[in-house]
Amino acid sequence: VEAGAALLNEAAEMARREGAAALIGPMEGDTWHSYRVVVESDGRPPYLMEPVSGAQDLAAVEAAGFQRIGGYFSAAVPLDEIATKPAPAPQDALSVSHWDGSDPEGLFAQVHALSCEAFAGNAFYKPIGLEDFLAMYMPVVPLLKPEMILFARDGAGDLKGFLFGIPNYAEGPGTDTAILKTYASLQKGAGYLLSDAFYRAALGLGYKTALHALIHDDNLSALRSAANGAEVFRRYALMGRRFDG
């Protein structure tokens, strides 16, 4: 802890001399990549693409004067409970379909465009180019289940939302857990339709548990997760430190 705090204090002093007014972290460059420190856990192993912290990380950043500026959680819910509830009422001019398994670059180009628009108002957001975005996601294409990649479109066929789900291969190829990794929408109601379709698809594929990954404490998704009876198993924080003067 002492060595980590000393390292962070040295980095903070370098940033201050360069004119920075504050630091945020842990963050691998931007919110498109890994960020957040684990602050609470029930001890279960990390799931696929989950940010991981060392045992001393939280204490070190706190000892270096960082305070929590954002909270997040991951939760688990049995699919035989959530996927068998009554289906949501149809939304006007919105239909949900899954990826057909073809043209993965075209798929993620659509996801990139909608993500940039949907996430632009998020705290600490900055845009990412398509090339960098594809470099993040194309390596996982062989692992994807098309039934878990979902799109919501309006009557004109325009994309209004997407959901990216993936099996928890951190448990091995025979995992019975599916991760609701990311979804974004530009139209009210799209997220609800997409998540319901994801639960039903995952149950149909034989998965038993769904993970709600890295939800911000203040998002509508947090309320829906709680309403669905999901059990929180990990909490995370984004930390910040302001410089005086």
Side-chain angles (χ1 to χ4, degrees):
V1 172
E2 292 78 7
L7 180 67
L8 290 166
N9 280 323
E10 183 176 348
E13 178 57 24
M14 293 172 64
R16 187 192 63 79
R17 290 199 303 266
E18 291 292 330
L23 288 177
I24 58 173
M27 183 179 288
E28 189 184 340
D30 53 43
T31 55
W32 295 99
H33 296 85
S34 180
Y35 70 104
R36 312 172 184 93
V37 63
V38 174
V39 298
E40 182 183 316
S41 176
D42 70 357
R44 73 177 65 191
Y47 58 82
L48 186 70
M49 294 188 273
E50 182 183 9
V52 178
S53 296
Q56 293 80 28
D57 289 358
L58 177 61
V61 295
E62 290 180 331
F66 288 77
Q67 299 179 338
R68 301 182 192 190
I69 59 175
Y72 312 80
F73 68 88
S74 293
V77 63
L79 281 165
D80 61 359
E81 294 181 9
I82 192 171
T84 54
K85 293 182 177 181
Q91 300 290 324
D92 290 341
L94 276 181
S95 60
V96 173
S97 60
H98 67 77
W99 178 40
D100 64 6
S102 66
D103 188 19
E105 289 196 7
L107 161 75
F108 282 107
Q110 293 182 69
V111 169
H112 170 260
L114 189 139
S115 297
C116 289
E117 184 174 356
F119 297 150
N122 290 0
F124 310 116
Y125 170 86
K126 66 179 183 179
I128 185 175
L130 177 59
E131 184 176 346
D132 290 336
F133 185 84
L134 291 176
M136 291 166 49
Y137 282 99
M138 292 305 293
V140 304
V141 165
L143 304 177
L144 300 181
K145 299 282 188 181
E147 297 89 343
M148 294 186 188
I149 311 298
L150 299 161
F151 301 95
R153 300 183 185 276
D154 64 14
D158 294 329
L159 186 63
K160 294 299 180 181
F162 79 89
L163 185 150
F164 173 57
I166 190 169
N168 182 23
Y169 289 120
E171 295 180 335
T175 181
D176 63 2
T177 301
I179 305 167
L180 198 169
K181 179 67 176 65
T182 304
Y183 82 78
S185 65
L186 302 176
Q187 184 169 321
K188 185 177 180 180
Y192 187 23
L193 291 177
L194 287 165
S195 59
D196 179 76
F198 167 77
Y199 300 136
R200 296 177 190 278
L203 183 64
L205 290 169
Y207 295 95
K208 296 180 179 180
T209 303
L211 301 186
H212 298 163
L214 303 168
I215 297 175
H216 194 287
D217 289 344
D218 297 331
N219 278 1
L220 176 60
S221 301
L223 298 177
R224 287 180 176 160
S225 180
N228 285 326
E231 180 181 352
V232 175
F233 62 86
R234 203 109 65 219
R235 294 190 182 276
Y236 323 80
L238 184 62
M239 312 292 286
R241 172 179 166 180
R242 292 188 181 276
F243 302 134
D244 296 328

